[in-house]
Amino acid sequence: MTQDSLLPHHPSVPDDPKFVADRVGILGLGLIGGSFAKALHEGGTEVYAWNRTASTLELAMIECVDGELTDDVVPTCELIILAGYPQVSISWLRAMAPRISAGAIVMDVVGVKRSICQACFELAEGYEWTFVGCHPMAGTQYSGFAHTRANMFVDAPLVVVPPANMDDFVRLDVLERLKHLLEPCGFGTFTLSTAEHHDEVIAFTSQLAHVVSNAYVKSPTAQVHKGFSAGSYKDLTRVARLNAQMWTELFLDNADFLSTEVGTLIHNLQQYKDALDNNDAATLKALLEEGDQRKKEIEGQ
């Protein structure tokens, strides 16, 4: 059974739908979707959710979810948050698009933007609701509802990709309403971006870090690290633990930018290896000093 086949299908369109102020619908109750549910619930927002695993939804309805995001509830949500895998989010929105009320906002929280924004912006063109691409810069190395936190997004940046062809005044109104609806989450900054720029930068700041960490622990020496490791090992291996299915989809959706970053890293590492193999102290020292200086420049020192 495919992921898409697990999605609900509701072809009927409600008569004269109208959303309820401060009612949010969430697709997916994993680490990010579940943390949105908890933060918004604590802030007094009505939260309705859909999740592939029924037991997770049942647990969430005890803690922070007011009810299931059914076909009757979708038209009443002022904000809908797509927190599923990229293709699941796109498929759900395609099925639900006719039911979403005019004036409502749909945002996603997927870790890549080009693939999902292209599909969802095109979907939104035929309706009177607005799609906004988003990516909260927050999370942990763990996944699943069990690791969700209401304070996950406090002071974190939120990258926002608004529709490019929208009137400036309409865009400002949508973004202000989005900021208001997300106030309980406590985001520190809202950064406007294009989908292209987001994916290029995120390939370095997030995806490459996961690849490096995941590859690093494959050294045979990792099996005997206990008693010999401290902060450096812990920092470098923190995100080696990951949801392989989700990250595979994210990496492939951003394969061009991520491959470029991996290639750059391989080139840089080869220079260190060559210096070591040649016992070239001068080159090795220069490489280390260059990296140290780059870090200071990045941090504005």
Side-chain angles (χ1 to χ4, degrees):
M1 183 177 291
T2 65
Q3 289 177 323
D4 288 356
S5 67
L6 295 169
L7 294 171
H9 179 62
H10 305 289
S12 60
V13 181
D15 295 329
D16 192 26
K18 180 61 179 175
F19 57 70
V20 176
D22 293 345
R23 176 178 288 180
V24 173
I26 300 177
L27 171 72
L29 291 170
L31 179 68
I32 300 302
S35 293
F36 268 106
K38 287 184 175 180
L40 292 167
H41 174 76
E42 286 195 3
T45 301
E46 286 188 30
V47 177
Y48 290 80
W50 180 90
N51 194 73
R52 185 179 60 177
T53 306
S55 59
T56 300
L57 178 58
E58 291 168 0
L59 174 61
M61 288 174 68
I62 296 173
E63 296 187 26
C64 58
V65 171
D66 294 283
E68 185 176 0
L69 185 62
T70 62
D71 57 341
D72 293 327
V73 175
V74 168
T76 69
C77 294
E78 183 177 7
L79 172 67
I80 294 176
I81 300 173
L82 305 179
Y85 292 1
Q87 288 307 313
V88 169
S89 295
I90 293 169
S91 297
W92 187 92
L93 185 60
R94 184 174 291 117
M96 290 290 107
R99 302 200 60 81
I100 300 171
S101 289
I105 299 173
V106 178
M107 62 176 276
D108 82 289
V109 293
V110 174
V112 291
K113 292 275 77 79
R114 284 177 297 172
S115 59
I116 195 163
C117 282
Q118 179 179 355
C120 294
F121 282 146
E122 289 178 0
L123 272 171
E125 285 179 359
Y127 300 95
E128 295 183 15
W129 47 264
T130 303
F131 174 79
V132 180
C134 295
H135 187 187
M137 298 291 99
T140 73
Q141 68 269 39
Y142 303 108
S143 60
F145 185 78
H147 300 286
T148 57
R149 304 196 314 264
N151 63 350
M152 179 71 73
F153 310 113
V154 174
D155 293 330
L158 180 69
V159 179
V160 180
V161 181
N165 58 350
M166 180 178 283
D167 178 87
D168 288 343
F169 292 103
V170 176
R171 182 187 293 113
L172 181 60
D173 175 68
V174 168
L175 295 177
E176 286 300 317
R177 282 205 296 127
L178 183 63
K179 289 176 67 175
H180 166 72
L181 289 165
L182 296 179
E183 276 183 5
C185 300
F187 284 105
T189 59
F190 289 75
T191 303
L192 295 182
S193 176
T194 64
E196 179 94 4
H197 182 64
H198 168 276
D199 286 1
E200 182 178 13
V201 176
I202 214 69
F204 171 74
T205 61
S206 175
Q207 294 184 339
L208 182 63
H210 283 79
V211 170
V212 171
S213 185
N214 193 264
Y216 175 74
V217 296
K218 294 177 182 178
S219 167
T221 313
Q223 300 297 326
V224 295
H225 80 88
K226 291 184 179 179
F228 294 85
S229 58
S232 298
Y233 173 86
K234 184 177 181 180
D235 290 344
L236 192 50
T237 61
R238 184 180 69 82
V239 292
R241 294 183 56 173
L242 45 73
N243 181 327
Q245 178 61 43
M246 181 187 74
W247 283 101
T248 295
E249 191 170 334
L250 294 174
F251 288 167
L252 291 179
D253 278 347
N254 204 30
D256 50 353
F257 286 131
L258 180 55
S259 179
T260 297
E261 291 295 345
V262 171
T264 299
L265 179 63
I266 291 172
H267 171 74
N268 290 335
L269 288 174
Q270 187 63 50
Q271 295 182 67
Y272 290 86
K273 186 178 187 305
D274 290 345
L276 292 167
D277 291 344
N278 296 325
N279 197 31
D280 186 346
T283 298
L284 182 59
K285 181 173 180 287
L287 289 169
L288 294 171
E289 288 177 341
E290 180 186 18
D292 176 70
Q293 183 60 33
R294 289 282 183 88
K295 175 65 172 176
K296 290 176 180 176
E297 291 172 357
I298 292 168
E299 294 181 347
Q301 296 182 4

